[in-house]
Every structure is written in structure tokens, then in C-alpha cells.
């Protein structure tokens, strides 16, 4: 579905009344009855209706806005990564060109040195002088770099290699040993360093994201769902429905990760969906970890004397024994009647006792309490 704000022609901060008015106006304009000659009127009318369904519901609108903002951020990151890759590609092509020209220059220098060694030794001794690494027209590597990349790149190459062109040595070892004295390293090493610096210069710092970000949602379930390990359906912002199968070890606050069910973008690996379990309010039980808590009201005489009572459990009613002199701060625990834990067992059902009085006052009990307050016993 396209952007619902654009379909209705409203701003992203539009009020509900403004959205409703825009929907009515659009629906009236594109209604199939008003556009009987337009075969696409029905689909456009349905699309506008879907856009209004998303924006009129505050929760769905909030989910859509969050997903749209995340999508925009990812697109910006992808564009930045694409531009960086293009710059790196261009830098690589230019670097290859530099290597090729440097190799030609090195070959020409080697040829000139071979010709010079072919002359007589006396002439070589009298005419020996350092040879500059230059091309056919006396162009040095720095000149080539400046011609291709500009003066800034040439200055960087000069500072990186330690100064002016070196004298021709008899071996690579001599050239390496004299670097501290101002001579440049051999051409292959110079080319490698130069290419590395060029790529570092042109390449962006933001890597292309391999995976779309994860999405966090709230999965509302019932106590019965957790007990029966049912499957629940999660409604996504893009109108997808994702099925979450409840498993052992899930309780209030548990986060389930659904691989590949998160944000879906073309050319990227789908993100994950992080579903946080939220147990809906239950009239019978309260969830605390893997234990279930319930309340049992007992009379004053049962609290003092003890007795038997029936309590509702997830597996039907059970009879429990109430110990004598039980107050409202005491509990009775029924093992193995709670939620499924991650160890293959189950939590407990904790029965919380609540002492209640009769609906109508009892004179005998009232007199007894009065005498007890004043220290008088019958």
C-alpha cells in the first residue's frame, strides 16, 4: 500500500477530524458511481479506504509512522553506502591507471639503464649521474598523479613517500635502506601505498547494511493461551499477519524472536520480529513468573478453626485444607498447576487467603470482640 498520508492529501501531523474530512472528500471524488467510465475507480476507492483505516486507528497509525521513519532511515543509509561504493569504484579505476603508468615509467627507466650499462666503463664513470623516474616526456609519477587526481593528491603522494625523486640504485635493498635520506621506495611499494591512500580517501565510512533492523511489538496473550501453548496472530504495521506459537518458558515479559518476520526491504535481508509477551488481565489468576496466583475468601471461623474449601484451578476445582489460625497474609501452594517453565515442568498455583466477615453483623461476635479489646473474657 502507498503512503496513506499522500493518498488522503494530509500532513503527517494532521488531526483525526482533518483526516476524516479528507477521506470523505477523496471518497466522494473517486467513488465508482461517480466515475463509471474509469475502470480503476474501484481499486482507487478501496485504496483510499485502506489508507483511512490505517490513519483513523491511533495504534495502527503509530505503528505505521514508526515503520515509515525506520524505512526512511534505512533508505538514507543505503543511498550513502551506494554513493560510497561508487566513489570507491572510481578511485579503484584511477588507481589502476596510476599503476599502469608507473609500471610503464619503471620499464622505460630499466631500458635506459640497460643501454647506459652497455656503454664503455670509462664513459659510465665519467657520465654517471642519478636518473629521474620519468616518462617519455620527462613526466614523474607525481606529475602523473597531479594530472589525474589534482595537486592535492600529488602533494599527498610526495609527503607519503618522503620527498623528491630518488637516484637510481643498483638494487631494491639500496633504495629501501636510503628512505630516511630522502629517496623514495621502489615503484611497486609506492603504487601499493598510493592506491591504499586513494581508496581510503574516496571510500565512505558507512557500510551497507546487510540486514534490515528488527521490529519490536507487543503480543497480548491470555492465561489460557500460555497454559495450552496456543498460537496467536500479530497484526503488523504493513497489514501483515504473523503467527506466534507459544512455547514452554514463555511468560509475562518474555521476548520471542521470529527470524525474518521484521522489516522487509528490497535488496536486504529481512529483519527479525521481537515479540514481547504481555498477559491480559484475568478475573481468576494473576501471573508472576511461572506461578499463578488466585484469591480465596474464607470466613472468620475457618480462619480461626481451620477447615476445607474449594478453589478454582486451571484444571478444575480442587479441595484444599485451610490451617487453623490462618490470616490474610498466608497462602496455600498447589504444586504443578502453574505455567509451563523452560525446564519441562510447571510453576505452582498460589492461593492467597482473604478473611471476610459476614454480610450482616453478628451480636455474639461483636460482644466477644468488645470484651477482647477491653481485656474482659466471658
Amino acid at each position: 500500500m502507498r503512503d496513506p498520508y499522500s493518498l488522503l492529501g494530509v500532513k503527517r501531523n494532521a488531526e483525526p477530524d482533518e483526516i476524516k474530512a479528507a477521506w470523505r472528500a477523496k471518497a466522494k471524488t473517486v467513488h465508482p458511481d461517480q466515475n463509471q467510465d474509469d475502470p480503476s475507480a474501484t481499486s482507487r476507492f478501496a485504496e483510499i479506504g485502506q489508507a483511512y483505516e490505517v490513519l483513523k486507528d491511533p495504534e495502527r497509525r503509530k505503528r505505521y509512522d514508526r515503520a515509515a521513519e525506520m524505512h526512511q532511515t534505512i533508505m538514507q543509509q543505503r543511498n550513502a553506502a551506494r554513493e560510497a561504493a561508487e566513489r570507491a569504484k572510481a578511485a579503484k579505476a584511477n588507481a589502476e591507471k596510476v599503476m599502469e603508468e608507473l609500471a610503464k615509467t619503471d620499464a622505460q627507466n630499466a631500458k635506459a639503464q640497460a643501454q647506459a650499462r652497455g656503454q664503455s666503463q670509462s664513459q659510465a664513470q665519467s657520465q654517471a649521474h642519478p636518473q629521474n623516474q620519468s616518462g617519455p616526456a620527462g613526466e614523474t609519477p607525481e606529475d602523473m598523479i597531479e594530472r589525474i587526481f589534482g595537486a592535492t593528491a600529488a602533494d599527498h603522494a610526495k609527503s607519503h613517500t618522503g620527498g623528491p625523486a630518488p637516484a637510481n640504485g643498483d638494487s631494491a635493498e639500496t633504495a629501501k635502506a636510503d628512505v630516511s635520506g630522502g629517496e623514495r621506495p621502489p615503484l611497486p611499494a609506492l603504487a601499493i601505498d598510493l592506491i591504499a591512500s586513494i581508496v581510503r580517501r574516496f571510500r565512505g565510512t558507512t557500510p551497507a547494511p546487510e540486514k534490515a533492523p528488527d521490529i519490536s511489538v507487543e503480543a497480548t496473550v491470555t492465561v489460557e493461551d500460555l497454559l495450552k501453548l496456543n498460537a496467536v496472530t500479530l497484526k503488523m504495521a504493513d497489514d501483515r499477519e504473523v503467527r506466534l506459537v507459544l512455547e514452554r518458558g514463555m511468560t509475562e515479559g518474555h521476548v520471542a524472536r521470529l527470524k525474518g518476520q521484521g522489516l522487509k526491504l528490497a535488496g536486504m535481508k529481512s529483519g527479525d520480529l521481537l515479540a514481547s509477551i504481555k498477559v491480559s488481565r484475568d478475573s481468576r489468576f494473576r501471573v508472576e513468573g511461572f506461578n499463578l496466583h488466585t484469591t480465596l475468601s474464607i470466613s472468620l471461623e475457618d480462619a480461626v478453626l481451620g477447615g476445607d474449601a474449594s478453589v478454582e484451578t486451571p484444571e478444575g476445582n480442587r479441595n484444599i485444607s485451610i490451617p487453623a489460625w490462618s490470616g490474610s497474609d498466608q497462602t496455600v501452594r498447589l504444586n504443578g498447576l502453574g505455567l509451563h517453565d523452560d525446564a519441562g515442568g510447571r510453576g505452582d498455583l498460589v492461593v492467597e487467603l482473604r478473611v471476610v466477615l459476614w454480610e450482616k453483623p453478628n451480636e455474639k461476635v461483636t460482644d466477644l470482640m468488645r470484651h477482647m479489646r477491653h481485656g474482659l473474657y466471658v
Side-chain angles (χ1 to χ4, degrees):
M1 184 182 72
R2 291 186 294 167
D3 181 28
Y5 293 100
S6 300
L7 288 172
L8 297 182
V10 296
K11 296 181 179 179
R12 293 191 174 273
N13 59 350
E15 297 294 332
D17 293 340
E18 183 181 352
I19 294 174
K20 186 175 182 179
W23 167 68
R24 286 180 173 177
K26 287 282 186 180
K28 185 177 180 180
T29 303
V30 302
H31 197 281
D33 294 343
Q34 303 292 332
N35 301 271
Q36 297 182 0
D37 297 334
D38 186 358
S40 64
T42 301
S43 60
R44 288 193 295 136
F45 181 77
E47 191 176 29
I48 290 176
Q50 292 177 357
Y52 180 63
E53 288 295 324
V54 172
L55 298 184
K56 78 175 184 178
D57 185 346
E59 194 63 30
R60 292 185 65 184
R61 181 180 180 183
K62 186 185 301 181
R63 291 200 304 266
Y64 175 82
D65 290 343
R66 188 163 54 245
E69 182 179 357
M70 188 179 299
H71 183 273
Q72 183 180 6
T73 301
I74 293 172
M75 289 297 100
Q76 292 174 352
Q77 292 177 347
R78 294 188 68 188
N79 290 335
R82 188 181 299 109
E83 293 175 359
E86 291 176 356
R87 291 195 300 269
K89 183 178 180 180
K92 182 180 178 182
N94 289 333
E96 291 176 350
K97 186 175 181 181
V98 171
M99 284 188 64
E100 182 180 355
E101 296 199 20
L102 289 175
K104 290 181 179 179
T105 302
D106 199 21
Q108 292 168 356
N109 287 336
K111 182 178 180 181
Q113 292 173 0
Q115 292 176 351
R117 285 194 298 269
Q119 297 177 356
S120 63
Q121 186 174 2
S122 59
Q123 292 177 343
Q125 292 177 350
S126 62
Q127 298 179 2
H129 62 275
Q131 298 287 333
N132 289 331
Q133 292 183 350
S134 60
E139 188 179 39
T140 65
E142 287 81 1
D143 295 334
M144 286 185 287
I145 295 172
E146 182 175 358
R147 174 167 52 82
I148 297 171
F149 295 105
T152 303
D155 294 339
H156 176 75
K158 291 178 181 179
S159 62
H160 185 71
T161 55
N168 288 331
D170 293 335
S171 65
E173 295 180 356
T174 304
K176 290 180 181 178
D178 294 335
V179 169
S180 60
E183 294 185 354
R184 74 173 72 250
L187 277 175
L190 174 63
I192 293 174
D193 290 343
L194 178 60
I195 293 171
S197 65
I198 292 172
V199 173
R200 286 194 300 269
R201 174 188 171 190
F202 282 91
R203 188 171 183 81
T205 57
T206 304
E210 298 178 357
K211 173 186 172 185
D214 299 334
I215 298 179
S216 297
V217 298
E218 196 173 73
T220 302
V221 301
T222 64
V223 173
E224 184 178 2
D225 289 333
L226 292 173
L227 288 169
K228 295 183 178 181
L229 301 180
N230 291 336
V232 296
T233 301
L234 307 178
K235 189 73 173 180
M236 305 300 295
D238 53 3
D239 291 336
R240 287 187 297 124
E241 291 185 350
V242 178
R243 189 168 179 265
L244 170 63
V245 179
L246 301 179
E247 301 175 352
R248 290 179 174 273
M250 290 187 178
T251 184
E252 176 81 27
H254 178 87
V255 179
R257 180 180 291 271
L258 302 179
K259 297 286 187 180
Q261 296 295 331
L263 195 61
K264 298 181 182 295
L265 296 174
M268 297 182 66
K269 183 180 178 181
S270 298
D272 298 338
L273 178 64
L274 305 180
S276 179
I277 303 296
K278 179 178 177 58
V279 182
S280 60
R281 192 178 188 86
D282 191 280
S283 60
R284 304 166 300 163
F285 307 111
R286 185 180 76 255
V287 176
E288 291 188 8
F290 296 111
N291 294 331
L292 295 178
H293 287 244
T294 188
T295 301
L296 176 64
S297 299
I298 60 175
S299 63
L300 182 59
E301 59 266 32
D302 286 340
V304 175
L305 303 175
D308 295 331
S310 178
V311 63
E312 185 177 5
T313 75
E315 298 180 0
N317 290 340
R318 292 284 183 90
N319 290 327
I320 63 172
S321 296
I322 302 173
W325 212 255
S326 294
S328 294
D329 59 342
Q330 291 184 268
T331 61
V332 177
R333 185 178 293 266
L334 300 179
N335 297 329
L337 291 180
L339 301 180
H340 302 278
D341 59 27
D342 50 5
R346 292 179 62 177
D348 301 333
L349 175 64
V350 181
V351 182
E352 300 174 352
L353 302 180
R354 295 290 181 270
V355 179
V356 296
L357 298 177
W358 301 285
E359 293 181 3
K360 296 181 180 181
N362 185 286
E363 293 182 2
K364 292 183 179 181
V365 174
T366 302
D367 289 340
L368 177 61
M369 295 298 108
R370 185 179 295 114
H371 288 303
M372 291 180 64
R373 172 181 289 181
H374 297 288
L376 300 175
Y377 296 93
V378 179

